[in-house]
Every structure is written in C-alpha cells, then in structure tokens.
Amino acid sequence: MARPRKPLLSRDRIVGAASALVDAEGLEAVSTRRLAAELGVSGPSLYNHFRNKDEILDAVADAVSAKVDLSMFDECDARDWRTALHDWALSYRAALADHPHLVPLLARGPGRRPAGLKVADAVFGAMVRAGWPPAQATYIGALMRYFITGSALGSFARGFVKDETAYDPADYPHLGQAHLLADRQEQIDEGAFATGLRALLDGLEAQYATLRPTPHHP
Amino acid sequence: MARPRKPLLSRDRIVGAASALVDAEGLEAVSTRRLAAELGVSGPSLYNHFRNKDEILDAVADAVSAKVDLSMFDECDARDWRTALHDWALSYRAALADHPHLVPLLARGPGRRPAGLKVADAVFGAMVRAGWPPAQATYIGALMRYFITGSALGSFARGFVKDETAYDPADYPHLGQAHLLADRQEQIDEGAFATGLRALLDGLEAQYATLRPTPHHP
DNA sequence: ACCTGAACACCGTTCAAGT
DNA sequence: ACCTGAACACCGTTCAAGT
C-alpha cells in the first residue's frame, strides 16, 4: 500500500474518530492502535498528523471548549455581568455534560488549547469592561472555571456508589439519611450546582458593590 | 523463593510505596511492575493484597482524605458554621497541595473510600446541626467539594503554559495584559481561591439569613 | 497463605522501507 | 508526503507451580 494518491487521514478525521470513541467508551478505550483500527489504518500512521497521543486528546478536548457559548459576553457591561456569567456557566456545564469522559482533561485548564484560551479571554475581557479591576477579572475567570469543572468532575464520576451497604451507619452517622445515595445523585448535583452558582454570584455582586465606581467617560 | 516465613508485603507497605512513587514521579509512573520492583518483589505479588491497580490507587487517595482536618466541625453550631467551612476548605486545599498528582483521583468523589466518606459525613452533620435543612446541607457539602477540588486541579496542573508566544494577542486580545501568564499563576491561584471562597461563603450566609429560624428546644 | 516465572493480550513510539 | 510492518520497551492481569 504505502503512500496513497489521496491521504487517508487528516487531523480532523482523527479528532472526529477519537471524539466518538471517547464518548462511546471512555478515555481508557482510546489507544493509538484502537483508534487507528477504527480509521482503517495502522497504528503508526497517526504520527504523521500528531506528535503523540496527548496532542490528539488535546485537540478532542478543545473541540468541547469550542462549543461553549460566549455570545453573552459580547455586549455585556456593568449592568449585566452577573447574568452573562450565569448564562455562560450553564452553557459551559452543558458542554461538559455532553462529553463527561473529557472533563478530567478540560479541568486541567486551557494549556495551549486555542478554544480554551478563547473562553478565558472572553470572560476576562467582559469583566474588565463591566468595571472589574483586571486582577479581580482574572480571579473571576479562574474561580468560575474551578467551580464548573469541579462540579462536572464530581457529578459525572458519580461521587457515591450505588451499593447502599457500602455506607455503614456506625461509620458515617449522618449519611444514613439517604441524602447522599447514588439514586438521588443527579438531583443533588443539580441542586448543588444551582446553589453554589447562586452563592458565588451573590458573593461577587456584594464585592462589586464595594468597588469605587469607575469614572464616567467625558 | 515462593512463600516466605514472614510475609514480604502488606497493604500498608504497598500503599506507602505507591504514595511515595506518585508524589515523586506522578500518577503515570505507577505501574504494578514498577511498584513491585520498588518493594523488592515481582509484579504479580501485589495481587495477593489488592484486587487490582485501581484499588491500590484508591487506598493511596484515601490516605490523603484522612489528613483533612475535621475538628472544626466538632462543636460547630449556628454561630460559626461559616468559620468552620472556611477553615475546613483551607485544610482540604492544603492536603491536596501536598499531593498534587492525586487530585484527579480525589476530584471524582468519595466513592467507597472510607476517609472520603468521613469528610462528607462530617460536613453534612455539622451543617444540619447549624440549622441548615438536610437538602441544603447536602448541597453545601457537594458544592464546597466542587470548588476545592476544581481549584486544586486547575492550580496544580498549571492552567497556562510558560511559553508566552503561545498567546498571540491577535487571537486573544485581552490575555496580553499578562494577567494570565504562568509566572504569575501561583498568585492568581491563591487570589482566585480566596476570592471564590469568600464569595461562596458570603452567598451562603445571605441564603442562611432567609431560612425561617429553627424552633428553640423547650 | 504468599510469592514466583511464564504467558496472554495489550500498550506508545520509532524507524527503515516503500511509493 | 504519507502509509506500512517490524521492533523496542513497556503495560495489567491470570495462573499453575512452589513452599
């Protein structure tokens, strides 16, 4: 076979196949050999398009960041930064929920992934425009990412196992109330996310109110 | 050699060696063969003490949870639940900072790890005693864990890479301000964590104030 | 009960060889 | 330039064999 007249692979085709494989069977199902087989080529072929496996997974992860809606930051100003942050958080969380197996990768931060950086850039820019000092705007981008990715990781990994016998009331006197059992986990995740998001935004608003107002433009 | 008169291995010895290996060289350095070599035995020996590699790593992760201080919840009541949560968050974060390579494991929730469950139990119990309704107490435990583990993951993984040329100002107009570059990352992590924690607790306090007060005991 | 070596079915990556 | 098979240095886990 050797080199075909038209390339069999492309970065896009590889990323697409890897993405499908991760979503269907999880991160640990992705091996270079398995992925290559899925694409109808032999393992080493991938190395003509990516330096290594990590680079492939980075590209897959970045495709998720690219789906996060950022339009709410476009016209956002001092009046509605809270609404923008809120809507962005929901969009971010929804994007992660669509690809739960990729959350561990995304939780590590943007690195040099372009879409991840675009997200960070949009949040920072909007917060500065809304009147937050640059340092605070940076913190807001980071702490929102902490909470959103942390919640996604915690949720999708299903923090508690299903087997009730794992939780002996003698060891954990308060868990017996079944408030933490797996069958209620989804409601708990929703409630905890909503409660935490509201608390965060309430807290930030209180802090925003203590800033000295930015001078008017003449 | 075969069976020695006194066992060469124990669960504790294995966990200790695995822990040291993870801390020194990271999660990916831990293979059953490498770990066994470190312990002076052959690979399959480990399977006399643990069902598989994941069980070993679970035990290593749980050892970290066991180091989280929970004493602030002992006498905590309606007056000081906020302080208790605050101090616990710092202790939790410090425990994670001591073992950054284990954060991805811990961020997935307690599972059936005993020390992880003890943490969840302590937070829940204290919040209920402080007057939070059980459902809210559950949310608080979850959302605090989201924020703390999310921040640990984001920090220790170093969200942005050092190479400044990775961030073309044409692509990310607001990142050029150097507020997000790697050499300042540690200060940013500290600031973002402190700001987020304060916002969360402020927000929760506002919510607590709207609860109808619990009736006095006669 | 607890350790061993051999074996199975995998890995990621490199590289010379082919077109 | 782009794909191949062979090869290297690994994996996690099972299992019969030893004491």
Side-chain angles (χ1 to χ4, degrees), chain A residues 146-214:
Chain A
Y146 294 165
F147 178 69
I148 295 164
T149 57
S151 93
L153 250 183
S155 314
F156 307 141
R158 294 279 155 261
F160 294 86
V161 295
K162 303 243 180 212
D163 177 11
E164 310 196 17
T165 67
Y167 309 118
D168 187 330
D171 293 332
Y172 319 110
H174 311 296
L175 294 189
Q177 325 224 21
H179 282 289
L180 289 171
L181 296 182
D183 52 337
R184 294 199 51 213
Q185 190 70 34
E186 201 170 316
Q187 306 161 43
I188 292 170
D189 286 329
E190 293 295 327
F193 182 77
T195 303
L197 182 57
R198 184 146 51 92
L200 270 178
L201 297 175
D202 283 349
L204 289 177
E205 219 165 30
Q207 203 169 323
Y208 185 81
T210 70
L211 297 173
R212 59 171 164 77
T214 43

Side-chain angles (χ1 to χ4, degrees), chain A residues 9-11 14 42-52 56:
Chain A
L9 294 177
S10 67
R11 287 176 67 97
I14 294 170
S42 84
S45 307
L46 302 172
Y47 291 82
N48 285 297
H49 303 270
F50 288 94
R51 232 192 297 276
N52 53 39
I56 298 175

Side-chain angles (χ1 to χ4, degrees), chain B residues 63-197:
Chain B
V64 175
S65 296
K67 286 195 221 152
V68 177
D69 185 14
L70 299 174
S71 63
M72 65 285 287
F73 293 124
D74 285 348
E75 313 266 317
C76 149
D77 64 11
R79 286 186 316 281
D80 50 14
W81 62 267
R82 182 193 168 124
T83 310
L85 275 186
H86 176 267
D87 293 350
W88 167 67
L90 295 190
S91 164
Y92 202 152
R93 181 174 149 92
L96 296 179
D98 286 341
H99 306 279
H101 294 124
L102 288 170
V103 178
L105 257 48
L106 287 155
R108 283 165 184 262
R112 35 177 89 241
R113 293 183 284 100
L117 290 164
K118 273 216 149 57
V119 173
D121 187 63
V123 179
F124 178 77
M127 291 307 111
V128 168
R129 225 168 34 243
W132 285 97
Q136 303 296 313
T138 303
Y139 295 160
I140 291 173
L143 70 87
M144 291 294 291
R145 194 168 52 76
Y146 295 164
F147 178 69
I148 295 162
T149 57
S151 93
L153 250 185
S155 314
F156 307 143
R158 293 280 156 261
F160 294 84
V161 295
K162 303 245 180 208
D163 178 9
E164 309 193 18
T165 68
Y167 309 119
D168 186 330
D171 293 331
Y172 319 109
H174 312 296
L175 294 187
Q177 324 224 20
H179 282 288
L180 290 171
L181 295 182
D183 51 339
R184 295 198 50 211
Q185 190 70 34
E186 201 170 317
Q187 307 162 43
I188 292 171
D189 287 328
E190 292 294 327
F193 182 77
T195 303
L197 182 57

